[in-house]
Amino acid sequence: MPIRALIVDDSSVMRKIVERSLRQAGIDLTEVLQAGNGAEALAVLKENSVDLILCDINMPVMDGLEFIKQLPGIENAKGVPVVMITTEGSESHVVQALSCGARGYIRKPFTPEQVKEHVIPVLAGKS
Amino acid sequence: MKSVSEVLAPNDSRENWIPLLEVAAREVFELMLSCQLTAPATPNETALEVTSMVGLAGRLCGVLSVRCDRKAAALMTSKMLGVALDKVGPEVADALGEIANMVAGNFKNKIVGLAEGCMLSPPTVITGSDYNLQSMSDSPALEIRLLFEGMLIVISLQIHS
């Protein structure tokens, strides 16, 4: 099924890598929206609906954890799965992200196969 | 498993971290750039004109830097983005910043107590070679020298107490 994805990362290079990894995973992307931090992503979501959000944690202005805490208040984000992609690898970060509503957690560095392993089940509603 | 206080004790030999730093760097290049770093056979002195730095704060304070020449930096960017070398533009600084960020993050995730207790700063990238970098550190840097596609990269971790 074709989907719209929102990729949130302060590095434009990393946003491109994540997009390429999604395509390599066989995910049919009709459109990819991008944001450089959590505040920009909230603004994007106020105007656009998406099917999947991939989000970094360490970002300026608003980090990824604060961003996902605010998602329940955004109509377009209700029920949209969020997968974190970050260098933060501690168990406490994982637990915190999952308790805030993230459905998946990928540590950088990553391979396209790891993106596939984490994103496909989330899109299928199995995670 | 050692406790956090044991691992980070002042008398702990941080020379033992050099292999972990090397593994962290090798993993980043293998997973994100699909290439193997190799050990230089002979001393290789090249003008390292691109320096990417990430600060560490918390249980470990310091600076991790990745240095290379402009050609290596452009090739790293090309491989990260999956585009031809002649299509690489101003993304080089962003790409090198991400490499330093991932090496630092991957390194700290390999040491008990650092994954949670050590934060990373946004990367800073300097281009050019006519500068002196002076650290207020009270210990020598941990440094590794590796070849990326035959070109020297120097990764160092300057630790502040």
Side-chain angles (χ1 to χ4, degrees), chain B residues 4-158:
Chain B
V4 172
S5 57
E6 284 174 320
V7 170
L8 299 178
N11 60 358
D12 185 60
S13 172
R14 286 173 174 161
E15 288 293 313
N16 295 336
W17 288 1
I18 289 178
L20 295 176
L21 186 59
E22 182 169 334
V23 169
R26 286 181 182 275
E27 286 177 350
V28 169
F29 279 78
E30 285 172 21
L31 297 178
M32 303 303 291
L33 287 81
S34 302
C35 70
Q36 305 273 339
L37 296 176
T38 57
T42 55
N44 180 341
E45 291 309 320
T46 307
L48 303 172
E49 301 157 314
V50 182
T51 302
S52 178
M53 299 182 293
V54 169
L56 299 97
R59 285 181 180 151
L60 181 71
C61 294
V63 176
L64 182 137
S65 67
V66 177
R67 289 180 291 150
C68 62
D69 67 17
R70 289 176 195 269
K71 188 177 168 191
L75 186 57
M76 286 178 204
T77 308
S78 161
K79 285 182 173 288
M80 281 180 84
L81 290 173
V83 301
L85 188 55
D86 61 359
K87 302 290 184 200
V88 170
E91 315 88 336
V92 173
D94 188 356
L96 267 285
E98 275 303 300
I99 288 173
N101 182 49
M102 285 188 286
V103 172
N106 201 23
F107 169 73
K108 80 183 180 86
N109 289 339
K110 293 181 186 303
I111 297 177
V112 177
L114 284 192
E116 303 189 25
C118 178
M119 295 177 294
L120 302 181
S121 74
T124 297
V125 178
I126 300 169
T127 54
S129 55
D130 188 16
Y131 68 90
N132 291 314
L133 184 62
Q134 294 181 323
S135 169
M136 300 302 110
S137 171
D138 49 9
S139 59
L142 307 180
E143 184 174 283
I144 56 173
R145 290 172 168 253
L146 293 163
L147 294 180
F148 161 71
E149 302 289 336
M151 292 175 280
L152 180 67
I153 61 170
V154 178
I155 299 170
S156 66
L157 177 62
Q158 190 77 57

Side-chain angles (χ1 to χ4, degrees), chain A residues 21-22 25 85 106 110-120:
Chain A
S21 297
L22 290 172
I85 301 189
I106 301 170
F110 58 86
T111 62
E113 290 73 26
Q114 287 171 320
V115 172
K116 184 176 183 178
E117 282 171 20
H118 287 81
V119 172
I120 298 287

Side-chain angles (χ1 to χ4, degrees), chain A residues 11-13 20 87-88 90, chain B residues 80-82 94 108-109 116:
Chain A
S11 162
S12 66
V13 166
R20 193 181 66 203
T87 54
E88 293 295 351
S90 72
Chain B
M80 281 180 84
L81 290 173
D94 188 356
K108 80 183 180 86
N109 289 339
E116 303 189 25

